[in-house]
Amino acid sequence: MLTVAHELRSPVAAAQSLMRTLLRGLAGQLNSQQREILDRIESRHGLLLDLINDLLALAASKTYDPDRPLERMALSPSLLTVLDRVRDEAGGKGVALTSSLADAPLMVMANGDGLERVFSNLLGNAVKYTPSGGSVEVRTRAVDGGAEVSVTDTGIGIPEEDLSRLGDEFFRARNVRGQSIGGTGLGLSIVREQLRRLHGRMQVESREGQGSVFRVWLPCIQDP
Ligand SMILES: Nc1ncnc2c1ncn2[C@@H]1O[C@H](COP(=O)(O)OP(=O)(O)O)[C@@H](O)[C@H]1O
Ligand SMILES: [Mg+2]
């Protein structure tokens, strides 16, 4: 699976850069109809690349990689990296992104890639599913011998009947299907697989039309 996805990614990425060359007019001026068609091809292509990247991340999350053992690390640096990455996207669509991180270092057994995958899917979803004018708040705290990260948004929420299916591969809730909000339905499966490896858990509270809270809990290592 991992090899297949790798083999898929390089030609698709190469084709995308060729399309960008055409769109920039570097191979001659395009008329408006040609540009419109190429724009549509490029956007479909972007979806294909998202799918390949998510399949790769899901396969990597399910496979034990001896070169990437779990190690003792603080949780905040990975979270800050992801916060930095989504800040522009949130700002660009007019969603206020705030964070309030615990002073304690919250040491967990993990690896940086895995933690970033968890946080980037949760934060990416919160920003993506929150319309302009809304807010996303990230908090961390020590609780029950572990670290809790909560991501609260004022977005579109999740219909109650769909809550139990979150994390199923390719599952997307009723209120996003057929909408223009793109997605693969694999992000929460990636989160679920990562949490299985890290002995963590996830809890979701949501109300359709009002917003959602995703809480992730990871066991902490106490200082000797
Ligand atoms: N913060 C959120 N607000 C509203 N709906 C959400 C949120 N996070 C996840 N969802 C719902 O859960 C589904 C699965 O999430 P995910 O696996 O990340 O897939 P997607 O690629 O669609 O974002 C989404 O399609 C959406 O219906
Ligand atoms: Mg997602």
Side-chain angles (χ1 to χ4, degrees):
M1 181 65 210
L2 213 49
T3 331
V4 173
H6 268 301
E7 294 296 322
L8 278 168
R9 183 154 65 179
S10 57
V12 169
Q16 192 175 47
S17 88
L18 289 168
M19 278 186 283
R20 291 196 173 143
T21 308
L22 283 178
L23 277 169
R24 269 194 242 117
L26 298 177
Q29 217 48 48
L30 301 175
N31 68 34
S32 63
Q33 194 186 10
Q34 290 168 330
R35 171 171 297 277
E36 192 191 314
I37 291 174
L38 204 53
D39 268 334
R40 280 164 58 190
I41 299 177
E42 210 232 350
S43 109
R44 295 286 166 84
H45 216 82
L47 298 179
L48 181 58
L49 209 53
D50 286 346
L51 182 58
I52 292 170
N53 285 331
D54 277 355
L55 281 171
L56 259 175
L58 181 60
S61 303
K62 285 182 174 179
T63 317
Y64 172 70
D65 182 351
D67 295 333
R68 306 219 48 124
L70 301 185
E71 51 188 350
R72 185 174 187 273
M73 59 169 60
L75 177 140
S76 297
S78 303
L79 187 53
L80 289 170
T81 301
V82 173
L83 272 165
D84 254 4
R85 218 184 285 149
V86 296
R87 188 156 283 128
D88 283 350
E89 198 193 330
K93 67 180 283 200
V95 168
L97 179 62
T98 56
S99 59
S100 144
L101 306 192
D103 291 331
L106 302 175
M107 302 301 293
V108 295
M109 286 298 288
N111 63 56
D113 285 357
L115 286 182
E116 282 181 31
R117 279 197 179 116
V118 170
F119 302 145
S120 74
N121 277 297
L122 295 181
L123 276 166
N125 281 345
V127 171
K128 176 163 73 165
Y129 297 116
T130 299
S132 170
S135 63
V136 171
E137 186 179 14
V138 183
R139 287 172 172 273
T140 65
R141 61 172 185 148
V143 61
D144 285 345
E148 184 190 78
V149 180
S150 65
V151 180
T152 305
D153 68 59
T154 61
I156 63 172
I158 299 155
E160 191 176 354
E161 71 270 20
D162 286 343
L163 283 172
S164 64
R165 298 191 54 199
L166 295 182
D168 289 0
E169 289 174 20
F170 299 107
F171 180 75
R172 306 194 74 206
R174 168 177 47 73
N175 58 338
V176 310
R177 287 196 296 263
Q179 303 278 320
S180 59
I181 315 173
T184 62
L186 290 174
L188 292 180
S189 310
I190 295 167
V191 170
R192 193 178 60 180
E193 289 304 324
Q194 287 293 338
L195 292 178
R196 199 202 302 274
R197 288 195 63 197
L198 306 182
H199 307 289
R201 51 181 191 254
M202 183 175 82
Q203 192 215 341
V204 187
E205 272 169 49
S206 186
R207 206 169 268 198
E208 191 175 0
Q210 300 196 9
S212 311
V213 187
F214 282 76
R215 286 194 188 85
V216 159
W217 180 91
L218 294 170
C220 270
I221 307 160
Q222 310 304 331
D223 278 323

